[in-house]
Structures are given as C-alpha cells and as structure tokens.
Amino acid sequence: MSKTQEVVSISRPIRCRKICQYPDYWNFIPEGHDGDSVVELTLDELETIRWIDYEGLSQLECASRLNVARTTVTAIYNRARKKIADSIINGKQLKICGGNYEIDCDTLSTSQMLQQKGNNTMRIAITYENGQVFQHFGHTAQFMMYDIENNTIKDSKIFDTQGSGHGALATFLKNNETDILICGGIGSGAVNALEEAKIKLYAGVSGDVEKTVQAFLDGKLVANSSANCNHHDEHEHGHHSCTDHHRNHECGHGSCHH
C-alpha cells in the first residue's frame, strides 16, 4: 500500500549582500513632487547599480563583489532599474534605505581598525581637531575613540579616517563597532547613514573633547540628531551657520546588521 508523502518546502535564508559603504545621498526628489509618491531603493540594489552601471563591472564581477550568485545579481539589477525608471518617468521621490546587506569590513585598512570591543564595552567616537570637537562631520579627518566600561574610560585613541564624504565616515564608524557619535554640525544625509548603522547621535556639540566625554559620562550631554550644518567654504566666504531642523524617521534598517 502506498503512502502519501507530504513534501515540505523550506526556503533557504537569503544571503546578506556585501556593500562597500553607505551612500552620501539618500533622497532624490523631482521638481514639483507632491510629497506622497515614494520609491524605496535598498542599499544592496543601489550597490548593484553602482558596480554595473557606474563602475562598468559585468554581472559576474558584481556577483563576486556582493558575494551572491550571478542570477541573484540579475534579479537585483532588474528590480533596481525598474524602480529608478518608475521614479524618473512618474516623478516619484527616490529614497535609499534598508535592504538585505552587510558592510564589508575589507574596505578598511588594518591601520583603521580598532580592536574588537567586549560585550560590556561602549564605544564613543568624537569628531576631533586639536583637542576640540570638530564642527563639520562630513570633513572629519580624525576621530577620538573612547572605550567605556562601567561608566569609566578604559581606552582612548585618535584615529585617522582616511575617507571622504559622510558615507565613508559612517562606514568607518560602523566597521569599528561604534555605539555613539558626538559631533558638531552634521547634514541630513549623514544622519540617515548613522541611523542605518544604528549609531546614536549627539550633534550640535562644541568645546574641549575631554570635557565633552566627561559630560557624557556625567549624564549632562543631551542626545540631538537634528543639528544640521549648512556652511559655505570658509576660504571663500569666511563664515558658516548651523541650524536645527526636524527629521522624519520613515525608513527601516537593513536586516543583516551586526
């Protein structure tokens, strides 16, 4: 007598796609946009477009960079181009957010990597210049990195970023397991990158770096993720101004963050 066999389909988990860094620009809004129609392009989709259409790689080479099969790249690429076309043809806002990805730590040199922190360690990064909190996050050349245990400083080091643009800086912080960023002025694109990296932001801070970290440890530093800095090149205009503004937290985070 034959037995009826039930076939159970078990879907394989989706492999995280490797991306090199967070983007510098997260929103593209057409002129006359009504504010309602939004197309969301994930970071792994954006990375596929960057490798194939901008860098000129083949789909096979792109697959190797993303650490996925070529057929997966084809599907991601086609989906991404469809979204971009929808945004351009139909005048929809294109928003970059989320996706199934992980940051590739190989993008940093050994000299840019801190030691892996312990489970009970909080890592704080402060934008740094000559002992002061540097005021323009996107141009930060150095971070003062603090490891905190039991509300006490266990280690502190100055690290050169060797990167340009806030996407590269957010990647640097993410790869170095940063929990908190303290800085002066910061743009909305950088705020998006830090939110995606799940790094808590204390913005609009100025003054001595050592006094600033002590104020944080004493609970006197207030978290602020909306200190936006709009400034002109000081060599040309000799001034800058920083203003606060409200931001909406609409996008989800990537599903493969560590």
Side-chain angles (χ1 to χ4, degrees):
M1 182 176 62
S2 63
K3 295 182 179 180
T4 303
Q5 294 181 339
E6 182 180 359
V7 178
V8 178
S9 176
I10 302 177
S11 60
R12 297 192 307 176
I14 299 175
R15 179 185 296 177
C16 286
R17 295 86 191 242
K18 290 183 179 294
I19 68 172
C20 287
Q21 68 179 53
Y22 293 111
D24 285 334
Y25 307 99
W26 294 76
N27 281 285
F28 300 88
I29 304 176
E31 184 178 357
H33 179 250
D34 58 15
D36 294 327
S37 303
V38 179
V39 176
E40 293 185 357
L41 187 73
T42 63
L43 272 80
D44 47 322
E45 290 170 345
L46 175 65
E47 190 78 340
T48 302
I49 291 294
R50 183 171 76 88
W51 285 128
I52 296 175
D53 287 341
Y54 184 74
E55 299 290 349
L57 270 60
S58 67
Q59 290 194 14
L60 185 61
E61 290 171 322
C62 179
S64 177
R65 297 288 181 93
L66 292 177
N67 195 34
V68 297
R70 186 190 60 78
T71 52
T72 301
V73 164
T74 300
I76 298 172
Y77 181 60
N78 290 339
R79 185 168 63 246
R81 288 173 65 95
K82 179 70 173 178
K83 289 181 178 181
I84 293 171
D86 185 20
S87 172
I88 294 173
I89 300 301
N90 297 311
K92 297 180 180 179
Q93 176 185 352
L94 185 67
K95 176 178 288 188
I96 313 298
C97 66
N100 190 33
Y101 70 91
E102 61 182 351
I103 294 290
D104 184 3
C105 292
D106 292 339
T107 58
L108 291 186
S109 64
T110 303
S111 63
Q112 289 179 278
M113 294 297 293
L114 280 73
Q115 289 185 347
Q116 189 173 5
K117 67 176 186 177
N119 293 331
N120 298 320
T121 301
M122 174 190 297
R123 183 160 288 168
I124 300 173
I126 304 181
T127 53
Y128 182 87
E129 185 179 55
N130 298 325
Q132 301 292 306
V133 179
F134 185 61
Q135 290 302 295
H136 304 304
F137 174 78
H139 299 286
T140 300
Q142 292 181 319
F143 287 110
M144 176 67 84
M145 308 293 290
Y146 291 95
D147 281 354
I148 309 296
E149 293 182 12
N150 298 320
N151 211 44
T152 302
I153 298 173
K154 293 298 182 182
D155 192 23
S156 62
K157 293 180 180 178
I158 297 174
F159 267 78
D160 293 331
T161 64
Q162 300 178 20
S164 59
H166 52 249
L169 295 174
T171 304
F172 171 91
L173 296 174
K174 173 67 175 179
N175 281 343
N176 278 302
E177 303 180 286
T178 305
D179 299 297
I180 291 170
L181 169 69
I182 300 174
C183 67
I186 186 168
S188 59
V191 173
N192 285 336
L194 294 168
E195 286 179 352
E196 189 69 35
K198 299 182 180 179
I199 296 172
K200 188 171 183 179
L201 176 61
Y202 289 74
V205 179
S206 61
D208 181 82
V209 166
E210 292 186 3
K211 291 181 179 179
T212 295
V213 73
Q214 190 59 51
F216 172 84
L217 295 176
D218 293 340
K220 297 178 180 179
L221 204 63
V222 179
N224 178 11
S225 63
S226 60
N228 192 301
C229 189
N230 299 311
H231 62 278
H232 299 287
D233 186 276
E234 294 180 5
H235 297 291
E236 295 181 2
H237 301 283
H239 68 277
H240 72 274
S241 62
C242 293
T243 58
D244 289 352
H245 69 96
H246 177 73
R247 297 186 64 257
N248 292 322
H249 303 282
E250 299 174 350
C251 261
H253 297 288
S255 58
C256 293
H257 290 172
H258 303 297

